[in-house]
Amino acid sequence: MATVKTTPNKPKDAGLEARQKLGWWHAYRFLILRRLSQLSIILMFLSGPLWNVWILKGNYSSSMLFDVVPLTDPLITAESLATGYLPEWTTIVGALIIVAFYAVFASKAFCSWVCPMNIVTDAAAWLRRKLGIRQSAKLPRNLRYVILVMILLGSAVSGTLLWEWINPVAALGRVFVFGLGATLWLVAVVFLFDLLVVEHGWCGHLCPIGAAYGLIGAKSLIKINVVDRERCDRCMDCYNVCPEPQVLRLPLHGSESDSPIVLDKDCITCGRCIDVCPENVFAFGSRFEKQVQVKNI
């Protein structure tokens, strides 16, 4: 059993203890792999303009993989259906492929391993910790689900794809493909909102895309497991880096009857809690803990 600390680590030092005790790669491995995943997907969109080899053609809302496999954002498809317009079959098939993948694979993996806005919000969170900005406005985390419903109702009433007017994920995607544009201000607003107004404000409280993927992946296979609660020394590093820290409380500090698996649909399966934990409390695993083991690197 680890010795419980009387004074938690400072937020700006999150990961320092893991780096000193377990090494640099251990403290950043899943962060690096996520960045490689996100940048690889951007390069797949750029492969056509740069090398005339179209791996992904389109954008984050709708694309074609090798001109064969359609991939469609489930939210934009739901908006289309809400307006009363039946999308083309390729759009529906593309949405079903995405829904099936994330429903089986991992909770909100799109948010942490694919979405380009995650790079922006992680940067704001890192800078916030380094600057010691702790005072934060309070917003209910369920607000994103309210926004999701409002978008669908608004699309039904207005007959337009309401969210696409202000979708910062699509705006950032256009920046990578077409260069800086007028919609870049949306990305700047999200960064400043997370930095100065609400901690993890966009992903953790407002994003309706994340809300949709949370519902889709609520029963997904891959989850974060608490390997041994007794190892936790309450340094708080995992809480300081997690964009959804509320999901850690029960698995880490709950009663014996509470599952040690992070089953909350809002976990983004990013693995940062595994990275920064010097006591190796966390590991990637499955929702059926003993049936399937997913080993850490």
Side-chain angles (χ1 to χ4, degrees), residues 11-14 35 118-134 188 190-200 240-241 272:
K12 68 176 183 179
D13 294 330
R35 292 292 177 264
N118 175 257
I119 301 173
V120 176
T121 56
D122 273 1
W126 175 85
L127 187 57
R128 188 182 177 97
R129 289 195 300 273
K130 294 303 177 185
L131 294 176
I133 302 174
R134 297 299 294 169
V190 170
F191 177 82
L192 293 174
F193 180 71
D194 273 26
L195 176 63
L196 302 173
V197 183
V198 180
E199 188 173 11
H200 301 300
N240 287 326
V241 298
R272 277 302 280 157

PDB file of all heavy atoms in Angstrom, residues 11-14 35 118-134 188 190-200 240-241 272:
ATOM      1  N   PRO A  11      -0.656  21.259  -9.569  1.00  0.00           N
ATOM      2  CA  PRO A  11      -1.102  20.963 -10.934  1.00  0.00           C
ATOM      3  C   PRO A  11      -0.018  21.183 -11.985  1.00  0.00           C
ATOM      4  O   PRO A  11       0.088  20.423 -12.941  1.00  0.00           O
ATOM      5  CB  PRO A  11      -2.275  21.944 -11.132  1.00  0.00           C
ATOM      6  CG  PRO A  11      -2.807  22.170  -9.754  1.00  0.00           C
ATOM      7  CD  PRO A  11      -1.600  22.148  -8.850  1.00  0.00           C
ATOM      8  N   LYS A  12       0.816  22.217 -11.822  1.00  0.00           N
ATOM      9  CA  LYS A  12       1.843  22.500 -12.828  1.00  0.00           C
ATOM     10  C   LYS A  12       2.909  21.408 -12.868  1.00  0.00           C
ATOM     11  O   LYS A  12       3.663  21.311 -13.836  1.00  0.00           O
ATOM     12  CB  LYS A  12       2.494  23.853 -12.559  1.00  0.00           C
ATOM     13  CG  LYS A  12       3.345  23.909 -11.310  1.00  0.00           C
ATOM     14  CD  LYS A  12       4.023  25.261 -11.183  1.00  0.00           C
ATOM     15  CE  LYS A  12       4.940  25.303  -9.958  1.00  0.00           C
ATOM     16  NZ  LYS A  12       5.633  26.606  -9.835  1.00  0.00           N
ATOM     17  N   ASP A  13       2.983  20.582 -11.813  1.00  0.00           N
ATOM     18  CA  ASP A  13       3.974  19.505 -11.757  1.00  0.00           C
ATOM     19  C   ASP A  13       3.390  18.151 -12.132  1.00  0.00           C
ATOM     20  O   ASP A  13       4.053  17.121 -11.934  1.00  0.00           O
ATOM     21  CB  ASP A  13       4.579  19.429 -10.351  1.00  0.00           C
ATOM     22  CG  ASP A  13       5.392  20.665 -10.005  1.00  0.00           C
ATOM     23  OD1 ASP A  13       5.962  21.268 -10.929  1.00  0.00           O
ATOM     24  OD2 ASP A  13       5.440  21.035  -8.816  1.00  0.00           O
ATOM     25  N   ALA A  14       2.177  18.127 -12.661  1.00  0.00           N
ATOM     26  CA  ALA A  14       1.550  16.855 -13.016  1.00  0.00           C
ATOM     27  C   ALA A  14       2.419  16.092 -14.010  1.00  0.00           C
ATOM     28  O   ALA A  14       2.784  16.618 -15.056  1.00  0.00           O
ATOM     29  CB  ALA A  14       0.164  17.110 -13.614  1.00  0.00           C
ATOM     30  N   ARG A  35      -1.024  12.142 -30.351  1.00  0.00           N
ATOM     31  CA  ARG A  35      -0.631  13.199 -31.292  1.00  0.00           C
ATOM     32  C   ARG A  35      -0.271  12.598 -32.658  1.00  0.00           C
ATOM     33  O   ARG A  35      -0.609  13.166 -33.704  1.00  0.00           O
ATOM     34  CB  ARG A  35       0.564  13.981 -30.734  1.00  0.00           C
ATOM     35  CG  ARG A  35       0.230  14.804 -29.512  1.00  0.00           C
ATOM     36  CD  ARG A  35      -0.706  15.969 -29.856  1.00  0.00           C
ATOM     37  NE  ARG A  35      -1.057  16.696 -28.653  1.00  0.00           N
ATOM     38  CZ  ARG A  35      -2.185  16.493 -27.947  1.00  0.00           C
ATOM     39  NH1 ARG A  35      -3.087  15.619 -28.374  1.00  0.00           N
ATOM     40  NH2 ARG A  35      -2.411  17.170 -26.849  1.00  0.00           N
ATOM     41  N   ASN A 118      -8.720  18.634 -29.967  1.00  0.00           N
ATOM     42  CA  ASN A 118      -8.118  18.119 -28.738  1.00  0.00           C
ATOM     43  C   ASN A 118      -6.708  18.676 -28.545  1.00  0.00           C
ATOM     44  O   ASN A 118      -6.273  18.904 -27.414  1.00  0.00           O
ATOM     45  CB  ASN A 118      -8.090  16.589 -28.787  1.00  0.00           C
ATOM     46  CG  ASN A 118      -7.370  15.989 -27.594  1.00  0.00           C
ATOM     47  OD1 ASN A 118      -6.229  15.554 -27.710  1.00  0.00           O
ATOM     48  ND2 ASN A 118      -8.024  15.976 -26.439  1.00  0.00           N
ATOM     49  N   ILE A 119      -6.002  18.920 -29.656  1.00  0.00           N
ATOM     50  CA  ILE A 119      -4.661  19.516 -29.561  1.00  0.00           C
ATOM     51  C   ILE A 119      -4.765  20.925 -28.989  1.00  0.00           C
ATOM     52  O   ILE A 119      -3.970  21.338 -28.138  1.00  0.00           O
ATOM     53  CB  ILE A 119      -3.998  19.543 -30.962  1.00  0.00           C
ATOM     54  CG1 ILE A 119      -3.893  18.122 -31.521  1.00  0.00           C
ATOM     55  CG2 ILE A 119      -2.618  20.198 -30.888  1.00  0.00           C
ATOM     56  CD1 ILE A 119      -3.408  18.061 -32.960  1.00  0.00           C
ATOM     57  N   VAL A 120      -5.777  21.661 -29.420  1.00  0.00           N
ATOM     58  CA  VAL A 120      -5.982  23.043 -28.951  1.00  0.00           C
ATOM     59  C   VAL A 120      -6.379  23.063 -27.478  1.00  0.00           C
ATOM     60  O   VAL A 120      -5.818  23.819 -26.671  1.00  0.00           O
ATOM     61  CB  VAL A 120      -7.065  23.734 -29.808  1.00  0.00           C
ATOM     62  CG1 VAL A 120      -7.372  25.128 -29.273  1.00  0.00           C
ATOM     63  CG2 VAL A 120      -6.635  23.795 -31.262  1.00  0.00           C
ATOM     64  N   THR A 121      -7.325  22.215 -27.099  1.00  0.00           N
ATOM     65  CA  THR A 121      -7.807  22.240 -25.712  1.00  0.00           C
ATOM     66  C   THR A 121      -6.763  21.679 -24.746  1.00  0.00           C
ATOM     67  O   THR A 121      -6.662  22.130 -23.603  1.00  0.00           O
ATOM     68  CB  THR A 121      -9.127  21.459 -25.582  1.00  0.00           C
ATOM     69  OG1 THR A 121      -8.942  20.118 -26.058  1.00  0.00           O
ATOM     70  CG2 THR A 121     -10.223  22.113 -26.397  1.00  0.00           C
ATOM     71  N   ASP A 122      -5.993  20.688 -25.193  1.00  0.00           N
ATOM     72  CA  ASP A 122      -4.899  20.190 -24.352  1.00  0.00           C
ATOM     73  C   ASP A 122      -3.850  21.278 -24.138  1.00  0.00           C
ATOM     74  O   ASP A 122      -3.281  21.403 -23.044  1.00  0.00           O
ATOM     75  CB  ASP A 122      -4.233  18.966 -24.991  1.00  0.00           C
ATOM     76  CG  ASP A 122      -4.927  17.656 -24.613  1.00  0.00           C
ATOM     77  OD1 ASP A 122      -5.932  17.710 -23.876  1.00  0.00           O
ATOM     78  OD2 ASP A 122      -4.464  16.587 -25.063  1.00  0.00           O
ATOM     79  N   ALA A 123      -3.585  22.066 -25.186  1.00  0.00           N
ATOM     80  CA  ALA A 123      -2.614  23.161 -25.066  1.00  0.00           C
ATOM     81  C   ALA A 123      -3.105  24.206 -24.063  1.00  0.00           C
ATOM     82  O   ALA A 123      -2.334  24.711 -23.238  1.00  0.00           O
ATOM     83  CB  ALA A 123      -2.375  23.806 -26.431  1.00  0.00           C
ATOM     84  N   ALA A 124      -4.399  24.516 -24.119  1.00  0.00           N
ATOM     85  CA  ALA A 124      -4.961  25.484 -23.165  1.00  0.00           C
ATOM     86  C   ALA A 124      -4.890  24.952 -21.740  1.00  0.00           C
ATOM     87  O   ALA A 124      -4.560  25.691 -20.800  1.00  0.00           O
ATOM     88  CB  ALA A 124      -6.416  25.791 -23.548  1.00  0.00           C
ATOM     89  N   ALA A 125      -5.180  23.654 -21.556  1.00  0.00           N
ATOM     90  CA  ALA A 125      -5.132  23.057 -20.220  1.00  0.00           C
ATOM     91  C   ALA A 125      -3.701  23.042 -19.684  1.00  0.00           C
ATOM     92  O   ALA A 125      -3.467  23.312 -18.501  1.00  0.00           O
ATOM     93  CB  ALA A 125      -5.702  21.634 -20.272  1.00  0.00           C
ATOM     94  N   TRP A 126      -2.737  22.725 -20.559  1.00  0.00           N
ATOM     95  CA  TRP A 126      -1.323  22.701 -20.147  1.00  0.00           C
ATOM     96  C   TRP A 126      -0.879  24.100 -19.726  1.00  0.00           C
ATOM     97  O   TRP A 126      -0.249  24.270 -18.678  1.00  0.00           O
ATOM     98  CB  TRP A 126      -0.464  22.206 -21.311  1.00  0.00           C
ATOM     99  CG  TRP A 126       1.014  22.259 -21.037  1.00  0.00           C
ATOM    100  CD1 TRP A 126       1.761  21.314 -20.398  1.00  0.00           C
ATOM    101  CD2 TRP A 126       1.913  23.323 -21.395  1.00  0.00           C
ATOM    102  NE1 TRP A 126       3.067  21.726 -20.325  1.00  0.00           N
ATOM    103  CE2 TRP A 126       3.195  22.946 -20.923  1.00  0.00           C
ATOM    104  CE3 TRP A 126       1.771  24.537 -22.061  1.00  0.00           C
ATOM    105  CZ2 TRP A 126       4.328  23.759 -21.098  1.00  0.00           C
ATOM    106  CZ3 TRP A 126       2.875  25.349 -22.239  1.00  0.00           C
ATOM    107  CH2 TRP A 126       4.135  24.952 -21.759  1.00  0.00           C
ATOM    108  N   LEU A 127      -1.240  25.106 -20.540  1.00  0.00           N
ATOM    109  CA  LEU A 127      -0.837  26.483 -20.225  1.00  0.00           C
ATOM    110  C   LEU A 127      -1.523  26.967 -18.953  1.00  0.00           C
ATOM    111  O   LEU A 127      -0.921  27.671 -18.126  1.00  0.00           O
ATOM    112  CB  LEU A 127      -1.186  27.399 -21.397  1.00  0.00           C
ATOM    113  CG  LEU A 127      -0.689  28.846 -21.300  1.00  0.00           C
ATOM    114  CD1 LEU A 127       0.838  28.881 -21.131  1.00  0.00           C
ATOM    115  CD2 LEU A 127      -1.090  29.639 -22.544  1.00  0.00           C
ATOM    116  N   ARG A 128      -2.755  26.539 -18.763  1.00  0.00           N
ATOM    117  CA  ARG A 128      -3.502  26.912 -17.554  1.00  0.00           C
ATOM    118  C   ARG A 128      -2.806  26.360 -16.305  1.00  0.00           C
ATOM    119  O   ARG A 128      -2.685  27.062 -15.299  1.00  0.00           O
ATOM    120  CB  ARG A 128      -4.923  26.360 -17.674  1.00  0.00           C
ATOM    121  CG  ARG A 128      -5.886  26.813 -16.604  1.00  0.00           C
ATOM    122  CD  ARG A 128      -7.237  26.146 -16.815  1.00  0.00           C
ATOM    123  NE  ARG A 128      -8.132  26.527 -15.736  1.00  0.00           N
ATOM    124  CZ  ARG A 128      -9.025  27.508 -15.809  1.00  0.00           C
ATOM    125  NH1 ARG A 128      -9.168  28.180 -16.916  1.00  0.00           N
ATOM    126  NH2 ARG A 128      -9.779  27.812 -14.785  1.00  0.00           N
ATOM    127  N   ARG A 129      -2.346  25.104 -16.397  1.00  0.00           N
ATOM    128  CA  ARG A 129      -1.640  24.528 -15.248  1.00  0.00           C
ATOM    129  C   ARG A 129      -0.320  25.242 -15.003  1.00  0.00           C
ATOM    130  O   ARG A 129       0.043  25.517 -13.854  1.00  0.00           O
ATOM    131  CB  ARG A 129      -1.386  23.026 -15.486  1.00  0.00           C
ATOM    132  CG  ARG A 129      -2.604  22.159 -15.433  1.00  0.00           C
ATOM    133  CD  ARG A 129      -2.242  20.674 -15.305  1.00  0.00           C
ATOM    134  NE  ARG A 129      -1.440  20.185 -16.419  1.00  0.00           N
ATOM    135  CZ  ARG A 129      -1.944  19.715 -17.545  1.00  0.00           C
ATOM    136  NH1 ARG A 129      -3.250  19.673 -17.718  1.00  0.00           N
ATOM    137  NH2 ARG A 129      -1.159  19.279 -18.503  1.00  0.00           N
ATOM    138  N   LYS A 130       0.421  25.535 -16.053  1.00  0.00           N
ATOM    139  CA  LYS A 130       1.724  26.176 -15.907  1.00  0.00           C
ATOM    140  C   LYS A 130       1.597  27.589 -15.352  1.00  0.00           C
ATOM    141  O   LYS A 130       2.466  28.056 -14.608  1.00  0.00           O
ATOM    142  CB  LYS A 130       2.456  26.211 -17.254  1.00  0.00           C
ATOM    143  CG  LYS A 130       2.842  24.832 -17.776  1.00  0.00           C
ATOM    144  CD  LYS A 130       3.712  24.085 -16.782  1.00  0.00           C
ATOM    145  CE  LYS A 130       4.056  22.670 -17.259  1.00  0.00           C
ATOM    146  NZ  LYS A 130       4.797  21.899 -16.238  1.00  0.00           N
ATOM    147  N   LEU A 131       0.518  28.287 -15.721  1.00  0.00           N
ATOM    148  CA  LEU A 131       0.313  29.659 -15.242  1.00  0.00           C
ATOM    149  C   LEU A 131      -0.370  29.686 -13.880  1.00  0.00           C
ATOM    150  O   LEU A 131      -0.542  30.759 -13.289  1.00  0.00           O
ATOM    151  CB  LEU A 131      -0.532  30.447 -16.256  1.00  0.00           C
ATOM    152  CG  LEU A 131       0.124  30.700 -17.615  1.00  0.00           C
ATOM    153  CD1 LEU A 131      -0.850  31.412 -18.554  1.00  0.00           C
ATOM    154  CD2 LEU A 131       1.403  31.517 -17.470  1.00  0.00           C
ATOM    155  N   GLY A 132      -0.775  28.528 -13.409  1.00  0.00           N
ATOM    156  CA  GLY A 132      -1.411  28.466 -12.092  1.00  0.00           C
ATOM    157  C   GLY A 132      -2.799  29.058 -12.059  1.00  0.00           C
ATOM    158  O   GLY A 132      -3.261  29.537 -11.018  1.00  0.00           O
ATOM    159  N   ILE A 133      -3.499  29.012 -13.203  1.00  0.00           N
ATOM    160  CA  ILE A 133      -4.871  29.539 -13.246  1.00  0.00           C
ATOM    161  C   ILE A 133      -5.805  28.480 -12.695  1.00  0.00           C
ATOM    162  O   ILE A 133      -6.063  27.464 -13.323  1.00  0.00           O
ATOM    163  CB  ILE A 133      -5.271  29.906 -14.690  1.00  0.00           C
ATOM    164  CG1 ILE A 133      -4.303  30.935 -15.263  1.00  0.00           C
ATOM    165  CG2 ILE A 133      -6.709  30.428 -14.737  1.00  0.00           C
ATOM    166  CD1 ILE A 133      -4.542  31.240 -16.736  1.00  0.00           C
ATOM    167  N   ARG A 134      -6.341  28.677 -11.515  1.00  0.00           N
ATOM    168  CA  ARG A 134      -7.198  27.682 -10.889  1.00  0.00           C
ATOM    169  C   ARG A 134      -8.639  28.142 -10.747  1.00  0.00           C
ATOM    170  O   ARG A 134      -9.554  27.332 -10.718  1.00  0.00           O
ATOM    171  CB  ARG A 134      -6.645  27.302  -9.506  1.00  0.00           C
ATOM    172  CG  ARG A 134      -5.285  26.658  -9.549  1.00  0.00           C
ATOM    173  CD  ARG A 134      -5.298  25.367 -10.347  1.00  0.00           C
ATOM    174  NE  ARG A 134      -6.103  24.333  -9.712  1.00  0.00           N
ATOM    175  CZ  ARG A 134      -6.437  23.196 -10.301  1.00  0.00           C
ATOM    176  NH1 ARG A 134      -6.092  22.967 -11.545  1.00  0.00           N
ATOM    177  NH2 ARG A 134      -7.148  22.281  -9.658  1.00  0.00           N
ATOM    178  N   ALA A 188      -9.782  30.116 -31.866  1.00  0.00           N
ATOM    179  CA  ALA A 188      -9.198  31.024 -30.876  1.00  0.00           C
ATOM    180  C   ALA A 188     -10.139  31.219 -29.685  1.00  0.00           C
ATOM    181  O   ALA A 188      -9.695  31.266 -28.532  1.00  0.00           O
ATOM    182  CB  ALA A 188      -8.888  32.372 -31.529  1.00  0.00           C
ATOM    183  N   VAL A 190     -12.349  29.052 -28.530  1.00  0.00           N
ATOM    184  CA  VAL A 190     -12.315  27.827 -27.718  1.00  0.00           C
ATOM    185  C   VAL A 190     -11.051  27.803 -26.852  1.00  0.00           C
ATOM    186  O   VAL A 190     -11.106  27.486 -25.655  1.00  0.00           O
ATOM    187  CB  VAL A 190     -12.371  26.581 -28.623  1.00  0.00           C
ATOM    188  CG1 VAL A 190     -12.092  25.315 -27.809  1.00  0.00           C
ATOM    189  CG2 VAL A 190     -13.730  26.480 -29.299  1.00  0.00           C
ATOM    190  N   PHE A 191      -9.912  28.155 -27.439  1.00  0.00           N
ATOM    191  CA  PHE A 191      -8.653  28.159 -26.684  1.00  0.00           C
ATOM    192  C   PHE A 191      -8.726  29.140 -25.510  1.00  0.00           C
ATOM    193  O   PHE A 191      -8.384  28.780 -24.370  1.00  0.00           O
ATOM    194  CB  PHE A 191      -7.501  28.541 -27.616  1.00  0.00           C
ATOM    195  CG  PHE A 191      -6.168  28.638 -26.916  1.00  0.00           C
ATOM    196  CD1 PHE A 191      -5.425  27.488 -26.667  1.00  0.00           C
ATOM    197  CD2 PHE A 191      -5.669  29.865 -26.506  1.00  0.00           C
ATOM    198  CE1 PHE A 191      -4.203  27.568 -26.004  1.00  0.00           C
ATOM    199  CE2 PHE A 191      -4.444  29.953 -25.845  1.00  0.00           C
ATOM    200  CZ  PHE A 191      -3.714  28.794 -25.594  1.00  0.00           C
ATOM    201  N   LEU A 192      -9.175  30.344 -25.762  1.00  0.00           N
ATOM    202  CA  LEU A 192      -9.239  31.356 -24.704  1.00  0.00           C
ATOM    203  C   LEU A 192     -10.301  31.007 -23.657  1.00  0.00           C
ATOM    204  O   LEU A 192     -10.121  31.279 -22.470  1.00  0.00           O
ATOM    205  CB  LEU A 192      -9.526  32.732 -25.318  1.00  0.00           C
ATOM    206  CG  LEU A 192      -8.401  33.291 -26.196  1.00  0.00           C
ATOM    207  CD1 LEU A 192      -8.837  34.578 -26.880  1.00  0.00           C
ATOM    208  CD2 LEU A 192      -7.140  33.535 -25.356  1.00  0.00           C
ATOM    209  N   PHE A 193     -11.388  30.398 -24.110  1.00  0.00           N
ATOM    210  CA  PHE A 193     -12.438  29.973 -23.175  1.00  0.00           C
ATOM    211  C   PHE A 193     -11.889  28.933 -22.192  1.00  0.00           C
ATOM    212  O   PHE A 193     -12.097  29.026 -20.979  1.00  0.00           O
ATOM    213  CB  PHE A 193     -13.607  29.391 -23.970  1.00  0.00           C
ATOM    214  CG  PHE A 193     -14.755  28.917 -23.128  1.00  0.00           C
ATOM    215  CD1 PHE A 193     -15.575  29.818 -22.475  1.00  0.00           C
ATOM    216  CD2 PHE A 193     -15.028  27.557 -22.991  1.00  0.00           C
ATOM    217  CE1 PHE A 193     -16.638  29.384 -21.700  1.00  0.00           C
ATOM    218  CE2 PHE A 193     -16.080  27.118 -22.226  1.00  0.00           C
ATOM    219  CZ  PHE A 193     -16.896  28.031 -21.577  1.00  0.00           C
ATOM    220  N   ASP A 194     -11.152  27.948 -22.729  1.00  0.00           N
ATOM    221  CA  ASP A 194     -10.567  26.915 -21.868  1.00  0.00           C
ATOM    222  C   ASP A 194      -9.464  27.487 -20.980  1.00  0.00           C
ATOM    223  O   ASP A 194      -9.302  27.057 -19.837  1.00  0.00           O
ATOM    224  CB  ASP A 194      -9.987  25.790 -22.724  1.00  0.00           C
ATOM    225  CG  ASP A 194     -11.023  24.726 -23.070  1.00  0.00           C
ATOM    226  OD1 ASP A 194     -12.214  25.069 -23.093  1.00  0.00           O
ATOM    227  OD2 ASP A 194     -10.642  23.571 -23.307  1.00  0.00           O
ATOM    228  N   LEU A 195      -8.705  28.422 -21.505  1.00  0.00           N
ATOM    229  CA  LEU A 195      -7.573  28.974 -20.750  1.00  0.00           C
ATOM    230  C   LEU A 195      -8.028  29.901 -19.626  1.00  0.00           C
ATOM    231  O   LEU A 195      -7.524  29.821 -18.501  1.00  0.00           O
ATOM    232  CB  LEU A 195      -6.639  29.734 -21.704  1.00  0.00           C
ATOM    233  CG  LEU A 195      -5.447  30.450 -21.053  1.00  0.00           C
ATOM    234  CD1 LEU A 195      -4.507  29.448 -20.395  1.00  0.00           C
ATOM    235  CD2 LEU A 195      -4.702  31.301 -22.081  1.00  0.00           C
ATOM    236  N   LEU A 196      -9.012  30.746 -19.909  1.00  0.00           N
ATOM    237  CA  LEU A 196      -9.312  31.834 -18.985  1.00  0.00           C
ATOM    238  C   LEU A 196     -10.665  31.724 -18.280  1.00  0.00           C
ATOM    239  O   LEU A 196     -10.863  32.349 -17.239  1.00  0.00           O
ATOM    240  CB  LEU A 196      -9.265  33.180 -19.741  1.00  0.00           C
ATOM    241  CG  LEU A 196      -7.928  33.502 -20.436  1.00  0.00           C
ATOM    242  CD1 LEU A 196      -8.066  34.753 -21.275  1.00  0.00           C
ATOM    243  CD2 LEU A 196      -6.812  33.645 -19.406  1.00  0.00           C
ATOM    244  N   VAL A 197     -11.590  30.959 -18.839  1.00  0.00           N
ATOM    245  CA  VAL A 197     -12.954  30.993 -18.292  1.00  0.00           C
ATOM    246  C   VAL A 197     -13.320  29.703 -17.544  1.00  0.00           C
ATOM    247  O   VAL A 197     -13.631  29.743 -16.355  1.00  0.00           O
ATOM    248  CB  VAL A 197     -13.992  31.266 -19.408  1.00  0.00           C
ATOM    249  CG1 VAL A 197     -15.391  31.361 -18.812  1.00  0.00           C
ATOM    250  CG2 VAL A 197     -13.636  32.550 -20.158  1.00  0.00           C
ATOM    251  N   VAL A 198     -13.287  28.576 -18.223  1.00  0.00           N
ATOM    252  CA  VAL A 198     -13.702  27.304 -17.611  1.00  0.00           C
ATOM    253  C   VAL A 198     -12.647  26.232 -17.887  1.00  0.00           C
ATOM    254  O   VAL A 198     -12.273  26.026 -19.045  1.00  0.00           O
ATOM    255  CB  VAL A 198     -15.067  26.834 -18.168  1.00  0.00           C
ATOM    256  CG1 VAL A 198     -15.479  25.507 -17.530  1.00  0.00           C
ATOM    257  CG2 VAL A 198     -16.138  27.881 -17.920  1.00  0.00           C
ATOM    258  N   GLU A 199     -12.174  25.577 -16.856  1.00  0.00           N
ATOM    259  CA  GLU A 199     -11.190  24.510 -17.018  1.00  0.00           C
ATOM    260  C   GLU A 199     -11.809  23.364 -17.824  1.00  0.00           C
ATOM    261  O   GLU A 199     -12.891  22.881 -17.512  1.00  0.00           O
ATOM    262  CB  GLU A 199     -10.749  24.017 -15.638  1.00  0.00           C
ATOM    263  CG  GLU A 199      -9.598  23.050 -15.683  1.00  0.00           C
ATOM    264  CD  GLU A 199      -9.087  22.737 -14.283  1.00  0.00           C
ATOM    265  OE1 GLU A 199      -9.768  23.121 -13.304  1.00  0.00           O
ATOM    266  OE2 GLU A 199      -8.012  22.136 -14.164  1.00  0.00           O
ATOM    267  N   HIS A 200     -11.113  22.938 -18.878  1.00  0.00           N
ATOM    268  CA  HIS A 200     -11.618  21.911 -19.799  1.00  0.00           C
ATOM    269  C   HIS A 200     -13.038  22.290 -20.253  1.00  0.00           C
ATOM    270  O   HIS A 200     -13.916  21.424 -20.356  1.00  0.00           O
ATOM    271  CB  HIS A 200     -11.639  20.541 -19.122  1.00  0.00           C
ATOM    272  CG  HIS A 200     -10.294  20.087 -18.645  1.00  0.00           C
ATOM    273  ND1 HIS A 200      -9.223  19.905 -19.480  1.00  0.00           N
ATOM    274  CD2 HIS A 200      -9.833  19.797 -17.393  1.00  0.00           C
ATOM    275  CE1 HIS A 200      -8.158  19.514 -18.779  1.00  0.00           C
ATOM    276  NE2 HIS A 200      -8.501  19.454 -17.514  1.00  0.00           N
ATOM    277  N   ASN A 240      -5.453  16.176 -12.102  1.00  0.00           N
ATOM    278  CA  ASN A 240      -4.995  17.448 -12.673  1.00  0.00           C
ATOM    279  C   ASN A 240      -4.901  17.420 -14.204  1.00  0.00           C
ATOM    280  O   ASN A 240      -5.035  18.455 -14.840  1.00  0.00           O
ATOM    281  CB  ASN A 240      -3.625  17.811 -12.083  1.00  0.00           C
ATOM    282  CG  ASN A 240      -3.727  18.268 -10.637  1.00  0.00           C
ATOM    283  OD1 ASN A 240      -4.715  18.893 -10.250  1.00  0.00           O
ATOM    284  ND2 ASN A 240      -2.728  17.962  -9.831  1.00  0.00           N
ATOM    285  N   VAL A 241      -4.652  16.247 -14.793  1.00  0.00           N
ATOM    286  CA  VAL A 241      -4.518  16.191 -16.250  1.00  0.00           C
ATOM    287  C   VAL A 241      -5.781  15.690 -16.939  1.00  0.00           C
ATOM    288  O   VAL A 241      -5.943  15.899 -18.144  1.00  0.00           O
ATOM    289  CB  VAL A 241      -3.334  15.297 -16.673  1.00  0.00           C
ATOM    290  CG1 VAL A 241      -2.029  15.855 -16.139  1.00  0.00           C
ATOM    291  CG2 VAL A 241      -3.541  13.864 -16.237  1.00  0.00           C
ATOM    292  N   ARG A 272      -4.034   9.592 -20.368  1.00  0.00           N
ATOM    293  CA  ARG A 272      -3.136  10.512 -19.653  1.00  0.00           C
ATOM    294  C   ARG A 272      -3.019  10.150 -18.173  1.00  0.00           C
ATOM    295  O   ARG A 272      -1.972  10.348 -17.559  1.00  0.00           O
ATOM    296  CB  ARG A 272      -3.625  11.963 -19.794  1.00  0.00           C
ATOM    297  CG  ARG A 272      -3.199  12.641 -21.054  1.00  0.00           C
ATOM    298  CD  ARG A 272      -1.695  12.668 -21.214  1.00  0.00           C
ATOM    299  NE  ARG A 272      -1.026  13.726 -20.433  1.00  0.00           N
ATOM    300  CZ  ARG A 272       0.241  13.669 -20.066  1.00  0.00           C
ATOM    301  NH1 ARG A 272       0.989  12.615 -20.359  1.00  0.00           N
ATOM    302  NH2 ARG A 272       0.786  14.665 -19.386  1.00  0.00           N
TER     303      ARG A 272
END
